[in-house]
Amino acid sequence: MAYASEGEFKRDATYIPDRITKDARRPEHGPVDGELWPVEAGRYRLVAAKACPWATRTIIVRELLGLEDVISLGTPGPTHDERSWTFDLDPGGVDPVLGIERIQEAYLERFPDYPRGITVPAIVDVPTGQVVTNDFPWITHDFFFEWREFHRADAPNLWPAELREEMEQVMRRIYTEVNNGVYRCGFAGSQEAYDAAYDRLWTALDWLEERLASRRYLMGDALTEADVRLWTTLARFDAVYHGHFKCNRQKLTELPHLWGYARELYAIPAFGGNTDFEQIKRHYYVVHSDINPTQVVPKGPDPAVWLEPHGRG
């Protein structure tokens, strides 16, 4: 993370550009700026912390598509230090498949002088112990397009061809204005930067509230990748972003269409079952010691509200 001179939060969005594709072919969509790795059941391990919104989306898509027995999952704990995420939830603090204490070890195994932040999600090549990619938007994209032979029979069509153009636009706005918008508020380095970020965020949330007033999911009657991408921010909104990041015009529970939509998604096991509010709160309130120097983790809000009937047909 970094700050521009005027105090606006700027995210370092440069990731390892490798992709995993069927037969290591050139993918139909997106750039090929790195190496291509072949789809191979049992070869790769997804390392994704449930505290992290970018990582949680990969866990959700993996489960929605039925890839649990094809791509294994390693889950670091909710906090990390300046070096990297650690496997402190596993016995002895060691990932049972990779045999490492930190995901940093997989990065350095491939790039001894890796110059950027050690992030999750990351996919690791188990035989070599080397990181393959941490480019999270393309990880979930390729789970759908490149791993199709391993999808379960009733897997949802997360990228419907007839909606793709509009969906790309919706997801771009969700990323810039909402997923990243809450961080732009929380890490603003000046009042002016914060005020501008706050206004942008709530303009987007009002647009989403209106959009969901007339449709079940973001793209219509069926679940898509766009819903996964929005979900991880909504799940963290009242617990973290409303107070910790000062996104406090309203709580999610006060936005009737977004709140009903969020509860409907929570009722889907891939969403609710991979949402750990205690890990989420511990991550933000402990790791961001510049924002919360006491590192005190709040007890609320009560997660039982997520189980209330969503009332959506």
mmCIF file of all heavy atoms in Angstrom, residues 76-103:
data_model
loop_
_atom_site.group_PDB
_atom_site.id
_atom_site.type_symbol
_atom_site.label_atom_id
_atom_site.label_comp_id
_atom_site.label_asym_id
_atom_site.label_seq_id
_atom_site.Cartn_x
_atom_site.Cartn_y
_atom_site.Cartn_z
ATOM 1 N N PRO A 76 -3.894 -19.498 5.672
ATOM 2 C CA PRO A 76 -3.137 -18.792 6.705
ATOM 3 C C PRO A 76 -4.066 -18.192 7.747
ATOM 4 O O PRO A 76 -5.271 -18.036 7.520
ATOM 5 C CB PRO A 76 -2.409 -17.686 5.922
ATOM 6 C CG PRO A 76 -2.448 -18.126 4.495
ATOM 7 C CD PRO A 76 -3.711 -18.914 4.346
ATOM 8 N N GLY A 77 -3.498 -17.825 8.883
ATOM 9 C CA GLY A 77 -4.267 -17.180 9.930
ATOM 10 C C GLY A 77 -4.644 -15.761 9.567
ATOM 11 O O GLY A 77 -4.254 -15.244 8.514
ATOM 12 N N PRO A 78 -5.385 -15.079 10.438
ATOM 13 C CA PRO A 78 -5.943 -13.774 10.097
ATOM 14 C C PRO A 78 -4.964 -12.608 10.158
ATOM 15 O O PRO A 78 -5.287 -11.526 9.663
ATOM 16 C CB PRO A 78 -7.049 -13.594 11.129
ATOM 17 C CG PRO A 78 -6.608 -14.402 12.302
ATOM 18 C CD PRO A 78 -5.911 -15.596 11.723
ATOM 19 N N THR A 79 -3.804 -12.782 10.780
ATOM 20 C CA THR A 79 -2.869 -11.660 10.881
ATOM 21 C C THR A 79 -1.561 -12.009 10.175
ATOM 22 O O THR A 79 -1.259 -13.168 9.922
ATOM 23 C CB THR A 79 -2.573 -11.307 12.349
ATOM 24 O OG1 THR A 79 -1.975 -12.435 13.000
ATOM 25 C CG2 THR A 79 -3.864 -10.928 13.073
ATOM 26 N N HIS A 80 -0.821 -10.971 9.863
ATOM 27 C CA HIS A 80 0.503 -11.169 9.266
ATOM 28 C C HIS A 80 1.415 -10.048 9.729
ATOM 29 O O HIS A 80 0.960 -8.999 10.208
ATOM 30 C CB HIS A 80 0.422 -11.211 7.738
ATOM 31 C CG HIS A 80 -0.146 -9.953 7.111
ATOM 32 N ND1 HIS A 80 0.585 -8.795 6.970
ATOM 33 C CD2 HIS A 80 -1.378 -9.684 6.596
ATOM 34 C CE1 HIS A 80 -0.157 -7.869 6.393
ATOM 35 N NE2 HIS A 80 -1.370 -8.386 6.170
ATOM 36 N N ASP A 81 2.708 -10.274 9.583
ATOM 37 C CA ASP A 81 3.667 -9.226 9.911
ATOM 38 C C ASP A 81 4.172 -8.597 8.619
ATOM 39 O O ASP A 81 3.586 -8.809 7.552
ATOM 40 C CB ASP A 81 4.818 -9.789 10.763
ATOM 41 C CG ASP A 81 5.532 -10.962 10.094
ATOM 42 O OD1 ASP A 81 5.472 -11.077 8.847
ATOM 43 O OD2 ASP A 81 6.153 -11.765 10.820
ATOM 44 N N GLU A 82 5.263 -7.840 8.707
ATOM 45 C CA GLU A 82 5.753 -7.138 7.526
ATOM 46 C C GLU A 82 6.312 -8.089 6.480
ATOM 47 O O GLU A 82 6.491 -7.727 5.318
ATOM 48 C CB GLU A 82 6.818 -6.100 7.917
ATOM 49 C CG GLU A 82 8.130 -6.670 8.446
ATOM 50 C CD GLU A 82 8.040 -7.112 9.903
ATOM 51 O OE1 GLU A 82 6.981 -6.904 10.534
ATOM 52 O OE2 GLU A 82 9.043 -7.654 10.408
ATOM 53 N N ARG A 83 6.566 -9.354 6.874
ATOM 54 C CA ARG A 83 7.134 -10.315 5.929
ATOM 55 C C ARG A 83 6.063 -11.029 5.120
ATOM 56 O O ARG A 83 6.133 -11.061 3.904
ATOM 57 C CB ARG A 83 8.002 -11.332 6.671
ATOM 58 C CG ARG A 83 9.285 -10.746 7.250
ATOM 59 C CD ARG A 83 9.955 -11.742 8.182
ATOM 60 N NE ARG A 83 10.300 -12.975 7.474
ATOM 61 C CZ ARG A 83 10.672 -14.093 8.098
ATOM 62 N NH1 ARG A 83 10.718 -14.138 9.418
ATOM 63 N NH2 ARG A 83 10.996 -15.167 7.406
ATOM 64 N N SER A 84 5.096 -11.611 5.793
ATOM 65 C CA SER A 84 4.059 -12.314 5.040
ATOM 66 C C SER A 84 3.028 -12.932 5.965
ATOM 67 O O SER A 84 3.153 -12.912 7.192
ATOM 68 C CB SER A 84 4.673 -13.422 4.163
ATOM 69 O OG SER A 84 4.898 -14.616 4.889
ATOM 70 N N TRP A 85 2.023 -13.529 5.334
ATOM 71 C CA TRP A 85 1.023 -14.327 6.028
ATOM 72 C C TRP A 85 1.671 -15.620 6.527
ATOM 73 O O TRP A 85 2.544 -16.181 5.870
ATOM 74 C CB TRP A 85 -0.125 -14.684 5.090
ATOM 75 C CG TRP A 85 -0.886 -13.509 4.555
ATOM 76 C CD1 TRP A 85 -0.520 -12.688 3.516
ATOM 77 C CD2 TRP A 85 -2.148 -13.021 5.022
ATOM 78 N NE1 TRP A 85 -1.475 -11.727 3.314
ATOM 79 C CE2 TRP A 85 -2.491 -11.914 4.215
ATOM 80 C CE3 TRP A 85 -3.025 -13.427 6.024
ATOM 81 C CZ2 TRP A 85 -3.663 -11.191 4.381
ATOM 82 C CZ3 TRP A 85 -4.206 -12.720 6.196
ATOM 83 C CH2 TRP A 85 -4.517 -11.611 5.386
ATOM 84 N N THR A 86 1.201 -16.101 7.672
ATOM 85 C CA THR A 86 1.760 -17.315 8.266
ATOM 86 C C THR A 86 0.667 -18.355 8.487
ATOM 87 O O THR A 86 -0.513 -18.028 8.608
ATOM 88 C CB THR A 86 2.431 -17.002 9.618
ATOM 89 O OG1 THR A 86 1.463 -16.375 10.481
ATOM 90 C CG2 THR A 86 3.627 -16.072 9.433
ATOM 91 N N PHE A 87 1.083 -19.621 8.573
ATOM 92 C CA PHE A 87 0.131 -20.721 8.727
ATOM 93 C C PHE A 87 -0.070 -21.066 10.200
ATOM 94 O O PHE A 87 0.064 -22.214 10.617
ATOM 95 C CB PHE A 87 0.632 -21.937 7.944
ATOM 96 C CG PHE A 87 0.648 -21.720 6.453
ATOM 97 C CD1 PHE A 87 1.825 -21.383 5.798
ATOM 98 C CD2 PHE A 87 -0.516 -21.822 5.716
ATOM 99 C CE1 PHE A 87 1.847 -21.173 4.427
ATOM 100 C CE2 PHE A 87 -0.519 -21.606 4.334
ATOM 101 C CZ PHE A 87 0.673 -21.283 3.691
ATOM 102 N N ASP A 88 -0.431 -20.058 10.974
ATOM 103 C CA ASP A 88 -0.546 -20.266 12.413
ATOM 104 C C ASP A 88 -1.816 -20.997 12.831
ATOM 105 O O ASP A 88 -1.973 -21.343 14.002
ATOM 106 C CB ASP A 88 -0.426 -18.933 13.164
ATOM 107 C CG ASP A 88 -1.293 -17.842 12.571
ATOM 108 O OD1 ASP A 88 -0.973 -17.373 11.472
ATOM 109 O OD2 ASP A 88 -2.301 -17.487 13.198
ATOM 110 N N LEU A 89 -2.736 -21.274 11.896
ATOM 111 C CA LEU A 89 -3.916 -22.068 12.215
ATOM 112 C C LEU A 89 -3.635 -23.566 12.115
ATOM 113 O O LEU A 89 -4.416 -24.381 12.601
ATOM 114 C CB LEU A 89 -5.081 -21.715 11.278
ATOM 115 C CG LEU A 89 -5.578 -20.269 11.306
ATOM 116 C CD1 LEU A 89 -6.718 -20.087 10.310
ATOM 117 C CD2 LEU A 89 -6.022 -19.874 12.705
ATOM 118 N N ASP A 90 -2.523 -23.937 11.481
ATOM 119 C CA ASP A 90 -2.180 -25.348 11.288
ATOM 120 C C ASP A 90 -1.316 -25.858 12.438
ATOM 121 O O ASP A 90 -0.579 -25.076 13.075
ATOM 122 C CB ASP A 90 -1.422 -25.528 9.969
ATOM 123 C CG ASP A 90 -2.308 -25.265 8.761
ATOM 124 O OD1 ASP A 90 -3.363 -25.905 8.668
ATOM 125 O OD2 ASP A 90 -1.941 -24.414 7.922
ATOM 126 N N PRO A 91 -1.370 -27.156 12.729
ATOM 127 C CA PRO A 91 -0.525 -27.724 13.793
ATOM 128 C C PRO A 91 0.945 -27.397 13.576
ATOM 129 O O PRO A 91 1.476 -27.593 12.483
ATOM 130 C CB PRO A 91 -0.784 -29.233 13.667
ATOM 131 C CG PRO A 91 -2.157 -29.326 13.076
ATOM 132 C CD PRO A 91 -2.255 -28.170 12.121
ATOM 133 N N GLY A 92 1.565 -26.863 14.628
ATOM 134 C CA GLY A 92 2.966 -26.494 14.529
ATOM 135 C C GLY A 92 3.236 -25.272 13.682
ATOM 136 O O GLY A 92 4.405 -24.924 13.435
ATOM 137 N N GLY A 93 2.174 -24.608 13.209
ATOM 138 C CA GLY A 93 2.349 -23.415 12.392
ATOM 139 C C GLY A 93 2.925 -23.707 11.016
ATOM 140 O O GLY A 93 3.553 -22.836 10.405
ATOM 141 N N VAL A 94 2.691 -24.927 10.512
ATOM 142 C CA VAL A 94 3.261 -25.345 9.225
ATOM 143 C C VAL A 94 2.145 -25.844 8.313
ATOM 144 O O VAL A 94 1.305 -26.649 8.731
ATOM 145 C CB VAL A 94 4.307 -26.465 9.422
ATOM 146 C CG1 VAL A 94 4.811 -26.991 8.083
ATOM 147 C CG2 VAL A 94 5.470 -25.960 10.260
ATOM 148 N N ASP A 95 2.120 -25.368 7.070
ATOM 149 C CA ASP A 95 1.135 -25.867 6.118
ATOM 150 C C ASP A 95 1.379 -27.358 5.893
ATOM 151 O O ASP A 95 2.505 -27.769 5.576
ATOM 152 C CB ASP A 95 1.248 -25.117 4.795
ATOM 153 C CG ASP A 95 0.245 -25.601 3.768
ATOM 154 O OD1 ASP A 95 -0.868 -25.062 3.742
ATOM 155 O OD2 ASP A 95 0.568 -26.541 3.012
ATOM 156 N N PRO A 96 0.348 -28.201 6.045
ATOM 157 C CA PRO A 96 0.562 -29.643 6.001
ATOM 158 C C PRO A 96 0.929 -30.192 4.632
ATOM 159 O O PRO A 96 1.453 -31.308 4.537
ATOM 160 C CB PRO A 96 -0.782 -30.213 6.477
ATOM 161 C CG PRO A 96 -1.776 -29.148 6.163
ATOM 162 C CD PRO A 96 -1.046 -27.852 6.369
ATOM 163 N N VAL A 97 0.673 -29.454 3.576
ATOM 164 C CA VAL A 97 1.016 -29.907 2.228
ATOM 165 C C VAL A 97 2.331 -29.300 1.757
ATOM 166 O O VAL A 97 3.205 -30.004 1.242
ATOM 167 C CB VAL A 97 -0.117 -29.570 1.237
ATOM 168 C CG1 VAL A 97 0.305 -29.841 -0.203
ATOM 169 C CG2 VAL A 97 -1.369 -30.365 1.587
ATOM 170 N N LEU A 98 2.491 -28.020 1.944
ATOM 171 C CA LEU A 98 3.688 -27.330 1.455
ATOM 172 C C LEU A 98 4.865 -27.428 2.424
ATOM 173 O O LEU A 98 6.018 -27.234 2.032
ATOM 174 C CB LEU A 98 3.373 -25.860 1.177
ATOM 175 C CG LEU A 98 2.283 -25.604 0.136
ATOM 176 C CD1 LEU A 98 1.973 -24.116 0.055
ATOM 177 C CD2 LEU A 98 2.693 -26.160 -1.220
ATOM 178 N N GLY A 99 4.573 -27.699 3.705
ATOM 179 C CA GLY A 99 5.641 -27.826 4.689
ATOM 180 C C GLY A 99 6.364 -26.529 4.986
ATOM 181 O O GLY A 99 7.539 -26.524 5.348
ATOM 182 N N ILE A 100 5.651 -25.401 4.859
ATOM 183 C CA ILE A 100 6.255 -24.093 5.101
ATOM 184 C C ILE A 100 5.469 -23.347 6.171
ATOM 185 O O ILE A 100 4.294 -23.616 6.398
ATOM 186 C CB ILE A 100 6.330 -23.245 3.812
ATOM 187 C CG1 ILE A 100 4.923 -23.049 3.208
ATOM 188 C CG2 ILE A 100 7.265 -23.902 2.800
ATOM 189 C CD1 ILE A 100 4.897 -22.186 1.953
ATOM 190 N N GLU A 101 6.148 -22.399 6.832
ATOM 191 C CA GLU A 101 5.516 -21.593 7.867
ATOM 192 C C GLU A 101 4.918 -20.312 7.321
ATOM 193 O O GLU A 101 3.989 -19.767 7.905
ATOM 194 C CB GLU A 101 6.542 -21.256 8.963
ATOM 195 C CG GLU A 101 7.086 -22.463 9.695
ATOM 196 C CD GLU A 101 8.097 -22.094 10.758
ATOM 197 O OE1 GLU A 101 8.486 -20.893 10.829
ATOM 198 O OE2 GLU A 101 8.512 -22.977 11.529
ATOM 199 N N ARG A 102 5.454 -19.832 6.212
ATOM 200 C CA ARG A 102 5.022 -18.570 5.606
ATOM 201 C C ARG A 102 4.823 -18.764 4.112
ATOM 202 O O ARG A 102 5.612 -19.448 3.462
ATOM 203 C CB ARG A 102 6.078 -17.474 5.795
ATOM 204 C CG ARG A 102 6.363 -17.095 7.232
ATOM 205 C CD ARG A 102 7.556 -16.138 7.312
ATOM 206 N NE ARG A 102 7.703 -15.619 8.655
ATOM 207 C CZ ARG A 102 7.072 -14.533 9.091
ATOM 208 N NH1 ARG A 102 6.308 -13.847 8.261
ATOM 209 N NH2 ARG A 102 7.219 -14.118 10.328
ATOM 210 N N ILE A 103 3.813 -18.116 3.550
ATOM 211 C CA ILE A 103 3.648 -18.159 2.111
ATOM 212 C C ILE A 103 4.828 -17.462 1.427
ATOM 213 O O ILE A 103 5.153 -17.750 0.265
ATOM 214 C CB ILE A 103 2.292 -17.540 1.697
ATOM 215 C CG1 ILE A 103 2.058 -17.710 0.194
ATOM 216 C CG2 ILE A 103 2.206 -16.080 2.106
ATOM 217 C CD1 ILE A 103 2.091 -19.140 -0.302
#
